[in-house]
């Protein structure tokens, strides 16, 4: 596992203002991925998987649209480009007058721009591996390991299609050493940078759209908020509704469990395709650990000793995953049976 990260206390105890919220509290586990060198025995993003040597590696057999990305790269191309970008960023940091790109770097990029399209089954990429000993998550009774892979191409929606694999780690006696990689990926931000997790449990509350009318009316009642000095909550938001949604309800970033987040859309039903049971949050694959509206969720340790972003990336994006410009991909599973088909949401 990685270093310890601690979410600051919420700006206010929301249950003191609205006691009816207390029974709706759910525990979420913030994962706080940070660059590292995971092994098959670690919970990780983009690391090697504890995959049985005698089990076929999964592929995506569906067609992929060559028109959606005129320039494609192999995973090794992406890693080389990232190293070049990091070297360029460091060069400019040390000498602002240094050239932005060297002739060698430009030649590399021109060479890699000629990567041909590939038609055929695409090996899936490891996205996340979660051991139950590290991270609590809903899983079948005979499993203690969740492995999430995806096809690094857009499908019906503008995001990769995921596949979930549950297994008992004790049954894996011989591990696949060199799983196949896709010959090309549609976007370099679909190749996760290897990271280790630092799990931390926090309390979440539902989006207003998932509340009863009675409770929603209470949240809209300004007289209840008047018990708090407006100067205090104005520090965090322009109005109580924004304060609640950004700072008091759901945590940003990679996490398991908790409540579904709805930053851009209204909540929608999540019936299980197999049995109709309402599905619950399993894993949020986040583009950012925080953004401009969720600064109160930045870990205490990041405030005093910020983690350098990998390879010249922007603050808060440690995995280098970016789904259509900063969205999260939320995976939901059926509480009746995690083996039922899961749901992907891009709220």
């Amino acid at each position: 596992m990685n270093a310890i990260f601690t979410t600051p206390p919420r700006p206010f105890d929301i249950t003191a203002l609205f006691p009816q919220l207390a029974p709706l509290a759910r525990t979420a586990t913030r994962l706080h991925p940070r660059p590292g060198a995971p092994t098959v025995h670690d919970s990780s993003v983009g690391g090697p998987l504890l995959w049985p040597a005698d089990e076929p590696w999964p592929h995506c057999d569906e067609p992929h649209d060559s028109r959606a990305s005129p320039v494609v790269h192999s995973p090794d191309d992406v890693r080389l480009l990232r190293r070049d970008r990091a070297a360029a960023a460091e060069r400019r940091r040390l000498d602002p007058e240094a050239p932005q790109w060297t002739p060698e770097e430009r030649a590399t990029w021109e060479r890699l721009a000629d990567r041909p399209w590939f038609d055929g089954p695409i090996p899936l990429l490891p996205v996340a591996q979660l051991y139950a000993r590290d991270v609590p998550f809903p899983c079948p009774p005979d499993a203690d390991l969740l492995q999430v892979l995806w096809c690094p191409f857009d499908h019906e929606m503008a995001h990769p299609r995921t596949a979930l694999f549950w297994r008992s780690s004790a049954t894996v006696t011989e591990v696949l050493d060199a799983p196949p990689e896709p010959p090309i990926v549609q976007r370099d931000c679909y190749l996760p940078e290897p990271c280790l997790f630092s799990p931390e449990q926090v309390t979440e509350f539902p989006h207003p759209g998932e509340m009863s009318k009675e409770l929603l009316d209470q949240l809209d009642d300004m007289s209840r908020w008047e018990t708090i000095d407006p100067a205090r909550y104005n520090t965090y938001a322009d109005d109580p509704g924004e304060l609640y949604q950004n700072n008091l309800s759901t945590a940003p970033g990679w996490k398991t469990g908790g409540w579904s987040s709805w930053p851009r859309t209204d909540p929608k039903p999540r019936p299980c395709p197999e049995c109709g049971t309402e599905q619950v949050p399993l894993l949020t694959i986040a583009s950012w650990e925080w953004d401009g509206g969720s600064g109160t969720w930045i870990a205490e340790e990041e405030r005093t000793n910020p983690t350098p972003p990998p390879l010249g990336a922007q603050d808060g994006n440690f995995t280098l995953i970016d789904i259509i410009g900063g969205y999260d991909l939320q995976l939901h599973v059926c509480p009746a049976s995690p083996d039922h088909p899961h749901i992907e949401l891009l709220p």
Side-chain angles (χ1 to χ4, degrees), residues 204-276:
E204 293 191 336
F205 296 97
H207 182 279
E210 299 199 76
M211 295 179 184
S212 67
K213 184 179 184 305
E214 178 186 4
L215 185 50
L216 193 57
D217 288 343
Q218 291 182 17
L219 282 178
D220 290 338
D221 182 358
M222 289 302 298
S223 66
R224 287 178 174 260
W225 293 93
E226 288 173 358
T227 60
I228 296 176
D229 180 357
R232 289 186 62 205
Y233 67 65
N234 285 345
T235 302
Y236 306 102
D238 293 331
D239 60 69
E242 180 186 359
L243 167 67
Y244 176 78
Q245 188 157 336
N246 289 347
N247 301 280
L248 303 172
S249 58
T250 55
W254 283 71
K255 62 184 179 182
T256 60
W259 281 91
S260 304
S261 300
W262 305 98
R264 298 174 179 86
T265 66
D266 291 332
K268 61 185 69 174
R270 286 139 281 167
C272 172
E274 183 88 6
C275 68

Side-chain angles (χ1 to χ4, degrees), residues 114-181:
D114 292 333
R115 176 72 61 182
W117 183 258
F118 175 82
D119 282 314
I122 297 289
L124 302 191
L125 276 173
V127 178
Q129 176 167 266
L130 302 176
Y131 282 90
R133 65 166 189 260
D134 302 324
V135 182
F137 55 87
C139 62
D142 58 345
D144 68 338
L145 181 61
L146 168 63
Q147 295 168 328
V148 182
L149 297 89
W150 69 19
C151 173
F153 288 81
D154 295 336
H155 287 81
E156 294 90 350
M157 299 290 289
H159 61 75
R161 173 175 293 168
T162 56
L164 308 184
F165 295 86
W166 313 90
R167 65 177 81 252
S168 168
S169 60
T171 64
V172 183
T173 56
E174 187 176 350
V175 179
L176 182 64
D177 287 331
E181 285 199 320

Side-chain angles (χ1 to χ4, degrees), residues 3-23:
I4 294 175
F5 291 97
T6 310
T7 298
R10 296 301 78 216
F12 312 100
D13 179 4
I14 191 65
T15 60
L17 285 181
F18 305 96
Q20 284 182 280
L21 272 175

Side-chain angles (χ1 to χ4, degrees), residues 46-57:
L49 303 183
L50 188 78
W51 194 271
D54 59 354
E55 183 175 324
W57 190 261

Side-chain angles (χ1 to χ4, degrees), residues 5 33-36 82 85-87 89-90 93 193-195 287-290 302 305-320:
F5 291 97
R34 296 296 186 275
R82 287 176 177 175
R85 290 171 189 151
E90 179 65 8
R93 184 187 71 82
E193 186 69 13
C195 290
S287 296
W288 308 91
E289 182 152 333
W290 65 80
E302 286 290 350
N305 186 25
T307 304
L311 306 171
Q314 298 183 36
D315 287 345
N317 182 5
F318 300 103
T319 65
L320 298 184

Side-chain angles (χ1 to χ4, degrees), residues 96-110:
E97 302 301 320
Q100 184 169 7
W101 314 117
T102 67
E104 293 80 7
E105 291 164 350
R106 288 186 179 278
T108 297
W109 298 346
E110 291 172 1

